[in-house]
Amino acid sequence: MNNYRPYSGITPAVKILIIINVIMYLLTLMFDKRTGTNLSNTLGLHLPQSEYWAPYQYITHMFMHGSFTHLFFNMFALFMFGRVLESVWGTNRFLVYYFVTGLGAAALNSAVGWWGYHKMYEQFLAFQNTPEPGLLAEFIRAHISHPAPWVWELIDNWTNNPTSIQYTQAGEELFRRVITETVNIPTIGASGAIFGILLAFGMLFPNTELFLMFIPIPIKAKYFVIGYGVIEFFMGIQNSVGDNVAHFAHLGGMLFGFILLKFWSRNRRKFY
């Protein structure tokens, strides 16, 4: 056990994690502005099908954030709940939990992304067998929230000239381009580990009352965690066009956190 008082101030690992995340965010801004290098694309987590995929991204993506708001809310949750868990568990166990849930989140997100890629590729093969503008339009609506005007112009021109080899080839190239661009979108953020922390807090302190922004009434931690998990699940399976939140990464953090907590709880003497 550590020699600091539980729940008072910031704990060692939480402080270091916050500092690293803030530094990486500032470095991202600096590199993007001064060198034109997209650091988030290099260190963010890509699917194995992407040309940008690298094994180290399973770790580095946890320290990358796309905006100040993204960074702030993740770090705020890490400070509020992570320091309590570190005070109870100690630094070593907290870090193990943090990275297991972060990696678990990446694993589930990659598995869901892999499935999504193969579904898209099956649609592409079907399109190759029967190339026609209606299939292309359906695919575009399902995967792009705001297509450029030239995309609909291409589809309209092809519809008016259904036997045109030129438009058929252009449609196939557009199909490939959408798949490639989708696969090359990186996943970034510490949210998977943060959701693991929220789950652990809800399981260890289920009846602790939380006051949330925009909700002027207290809610017990266990209900907050359950509700948040249900929302993430339904938003994940809904898979709305333009939704750039990695909902299954959040669920992965909670799932692997639950598994790890159950494993630790087999020996109650060492659980806390």
Side-chain angles (χ1 to χ4, degrees):
M1 194 63 70
N2 297 314
N3 58 1
Y4 46 82
R5 291 184 302 154
Y7 324 128
S8 62
I10 189 168
T11 49
V14 168
K15 176 166 51 174
I16 292 173
L17 288 171
I18 291 176
I19 290 173
I20 294 175
N21 277 278
V22 170
I23 289 175
M24 292 306 298
Y25 177 70
L26 295 176
L27 284 176
T28 300
L29 295 179
M30 182 182 69
F31 270 77
D32 288 356
K33 184 176 181 180
R34 296 187 179 181
T35 68
T37 301
N38 190 339
L39 203 59
S40 293
N41 193 64
T42 302
L43 301 181
L45 177 61
H46 290 276
L47 293 177
Q49 293 89 347
S50 172
E51 61 182 302
Y52 302 112
W53 178 83
Y56 61 78
Q57 294 170 352
Y58 287 95
I59 294 292
T60 57
H61 86 281
M62 297 170 60
F63 299 99
M64 308 300 297
H65 290 84
S67 68
F68 176 78
T69 302
H70 189 199
L71 173 71
F72 173 78
F73 281 106
N74 273 349
M75 295 304 100
F76 179 74
L78 176 59
F79 171 75
M80 291 299 297
F81 302 105
R83 63 193 176 118
V84 178
L85 297 179
E86 186 180 355
S87 296
V88 171
W89 285 336
T91 298
N92 291 339
R93 175 159 289 202
F94 173 77
L95 285 174
V96 168
Y97 184 85
Y98 185 87
F99 282 102
V100 166
T101 53
L103 290 170
L108 183 59
N109 185 70
S110 293
V112 172
W114 177 87
W115 173 255
Y117 167 79
H118 280 277
K119 294 294 290 183
M120 293 177 71
Y121 198 74
E122 286 177 359
Q123 291 176 300
F124 174 65
L125 294 178
F127 175 79
Q128 280 189 314
N129 290 331
T130 312
E132 57 102 9
L135 287 178
L136 178 59
E138 181 181 347
F139 183 78
I140 293 297
R141 292 190 187 97
H143 296 285
I144 301 181
S145 55
H146 300 290
W150 67 265
V151 172
W152 297 123
E153 183 178 349
L154 167 63
I155 294 174
D156 289 340
N157 290 337
W158 189 10
T159 302
N160 295 327
N161 299 274
T163 60
S164 170
I165 299 299
Q166 177 185 353
Y167 288 126
T168 300
Q169 293 175 341
E172 183 173 322
E173 178 60 31
L174 177 57
F175 219 111
R176 290 181 183 272
R177 179 176 172 180
V178 172
I179 293 176
T180 300
E181 290 183 357
T182 301
V183 169
N184 286 338
I185 297 174
T187 298
I188 58 176
S191 301
I194 298 303
F195 270 75
I197 286 174
L198 293 177
L199 177 95
F201 187 89
M203 291 182 66
L204 269 65
F205 308 98
N207 295 315
T208 299
E209 292 186 335
L210 306 174
F211 285 87
L212 307 178
M213 294 181 181
F214 314 117
I215 303 179
I217 58 174
I219 179 173
K220 290 185 177 180
K222 58 185 176 183
Y223 299 131
F224 170 70
V225 170
I226 292 172
Y228 216 157
V230 170
I231 291 172
E232 288 296 317
F233 176 76
F234 280 105
M235 293 186 72
I237 60 176
Q238 187 178 7
N239 193 28
S240 300
V241 181
D243 185 356
N244 61 353
V245 177
H247 298 290
F248 283 101
H250 299 169
L251 292 171
M254 298 180 85
L255 174 63
F256 278 79
F258 180 81
I259 294 172
L260 186 56
L261 289 174
K262 285 300 181 182
F263 176 77
W264 283 345
S265 67
R266 294 190 308 173
N267 187 340
R268 280 288 179 180
R269 186 176 61 85
K270 295 183 178 179
F271 183 45
Y272 293 105

